[in-house]
Amino acid sequence: MPGTVLLLAASPLGRGRLVDAASVLPVLAAVPPAVLSGADTANVVELADPLDPQAVLTRLRAAAAAPGPLTVYVTGQLQLDRRQRLPHLALARTTASTVRYTALPWHWFRDELRLRPAGATTLFLDLHADTETWQALCVQRAPGTSPLDCGRDNAVYGRVAPPPSRRGVAAPAYMKAVATILRSGWRPPEEDLHQQALARSAAESAGTDLVLAQRGPLPGDPHAAVTAAVRSGRHADADALAARLEQAAGLAHGPASEEALHWTEVRADLAMLAGDAARSCGAWMAVAAVRLTAGQSPDAPAVEAAVDRAHHQWGRIGDPVRARELGAALAELRGRVPGRREGALDHVQRQLRQLQTQS
């Protein structure tokens, strides 16, 4: 099956630039697509210093939906938004005061890749952080964990570098090393490729980087079992397994715990994959309600994401009666969680008025 490769290099234009991210693209572009992906053939999508986070999201979403293995190469710099203190990938127009609106929230990578088969996605990252973001990543990092969450089913390799010690723009040394190794025409196993790239770029890092090394899921992972059931068309079996795991997590950690909510979210996705938009919409609204009741902020990423997905699934419900029932609850929820897109509540209310005229 053909692979997919997404090459993303982004950094601000102007004084805020820490790394010349796009300088690595010519080297990566010289690598045969099959070597970039590790598949016999591959489609390559390249994004050089993009301007709009929604445009990047569209390309990321399309890449995540493609069958076959997916390899994502990301070079750039990380900045925190002032409101939620969450890491974002800075884009061409990003400044310190506009991060929330002009940069790509890092959790979008995790969110968009969550439906991919376990073990089918690999990310190679070469990122630089400004002083504020670097300190946050170092403080928040728990022992044995990655400072950037890319999803539990994905392999992640690379590094996050601290701000350059001297004035000037840094080079993406790790990613250039990856590209140089791959230009030989042979792709080593991912962990070997990562270690070789670290060794080649060690002189520039001086041992100060945060190293990213997360293997793919191990055999017996329940996520892999759920994914296998979906891929074979056994949607009811997949939901039943996820329901058992949701119940077990609720008993062990509490129904409002992240462990239990994770499986509720999985079941919402499974309903979508089974073509049951109403059930998926209801499940996502339930997730948002639990999070809000637990005291999470209406602009918390997990809350916004749940409401956005409920809204998306609501628009796919074909039964007017069911759409009206869920639409009233969604309008109330949208009043509390407007999300990042302007006019979301107005859209629900307009659609509801149209549904009132349908039998």
Side-chain angles (χ1 to χ4, degrees):
M1 186 176 294
T4 301
V5 175
L6 178 62
L7 307 178
L8 171 56
S11 54
L13 300 174
R15 296 174 60 187
R17 171 172 289 202
L18 299 177
V19 57
D20 184 9
S23 65
V24 76
L25 287 177
V27 191
L28 283 170
V31 179
V35 178
L36 283 173
S37 70
D40 291 338
T41 60
N43 299 312
V44 179
V45 179
E46 179 179 310
L47 294 174
D49 282 328
L51 301 174
D52 179 21
Q54 292 295 331
V56 178
L57 177 61
T58 298
R59 296 297 185 89
L60 174 62
R61 186 167 291 165
L70 170 64
T71 309
V72 182
Y73 298 84
V74 183
T75 308
Q77 70 186 61
L78 297 172
Q79 293 180 227
L80 297 180
D81 71 291
R82 291 180 174 177
R83 185 173 181 179
Q84 295 176 292
R85 314 290 297 169
L86 295 174
H88 287 58
L89 181 69
L91 303 184
R93 294 185 296 193
T94 300
T95 65
S97 61
T98 65
V99 171
R100 179 171 170 83
Y101 306 101
T102 62
L104 187 80
W106 189 262
H107 61 265
W108 284 6
F109 283 101
R110 178 198 65 215
D111 292 346
E112 294 306 318
L113 298 174
R114 74 189 189 285
L115 296 181
R116 296 217 16 105
T121 307
T122 303
L123 297 95
F124 287 98
L125 310 176
D126 189 350
L127 303 167
H128 283 67
D130 63 12
T131 302
E132 188 178 29
T133 309
W134 177 257
Q135 292 174 348
L137 291 176
C138 292
V139 169
Q140 295 172 4
R141 184 182 185 185
T145 65
S146 171
L148 292 173
D149 182 6
C150 299
R152 69 184 73 202
D153 289 338
N154 308 315
V156 183
Y157 299 99
R159 59 98 182 238
V160 181
S165 58
R166 57 184 183 277
R167 297 186 64 179
V169 178
Y174 172 86
M175 194 64 77
K176 284 189 174 179
V178 168
T180 301
I181 294 166
L182 293 179
R183 282 187 67 179
S184 68
W186 180 68
R187 179 188 173 108
E190 292 167 350
E191 291 188 45
D192 292 347
L193 174 59
H194 168 64
Q195 292 298 333
Q196 290 178 33
L198 285 178
R200 292 195 181 200
S201 58
E204 296 189 35
S205 71
T208 58
D209 296 347
L210 288 175
V211 175
L212 310 173
Q214 174 182 312
R215 298 179 180 88
L218 298 173
D221 189 323
H223 297 84
V226 171
T227 300
V230 172
R231 296 184 76 182
S232 63
R234 296 181 289 112
H235 295 284
D237 290 346
D239 183 66
L241 174 57
R244 291 196 298 272
L245 293 163
E246 177 187 32
Q247 182 180 34
L251 291 172
H253 305 284
S257 64
E258 285 299 323
E259 291 83 356
L261 283 172
H262 167 72
W263 288 108
T264 309
E265 293 175 345
V266 168
R267 295 188 69 194
D269 282 331
L270 292 174
M272 178 198 68
L273 292 171
D276 192 340
R279 182 158 59 92
S280 181
C281 174
W284 280 119
M285 286 199 293
V287 168
V290 170
R291 291 189 180 280
L292 289 169
T293 301
Q296 294 188 27
S297 170
D299 63 359
V303 175
E304 286 187 341
V307 179
D308 287 346
R309 291 184 188 124
H311 192 159
H312 178 72
Q313 288 300 297
W314 179 69
R316 294 174 174 265
I317 299 173
D319 179 3
V321 175
R322 193 75 177 108
R324 281 196 296 268
E325 293 172 355
L326 290 169
L330 179 61
E332 181 180 351
L333 192 56
R334 267 300 185 202
R336 301 177 64 188
V337 186
R340 294 180 179 235
R341 285 284 186 96
E342 291 186 9
L345 176 57
D346 290 340
H347 175 264
V348 176
Q349 292 172 336
R350 284 197 308 272
Q351 292 297 108
L352 271 176
R353 287 193 293 270
Q354 292 181 15
L355 285 167
Q356 299 302 328
T357 66
Q358 300 178 30
S359 58

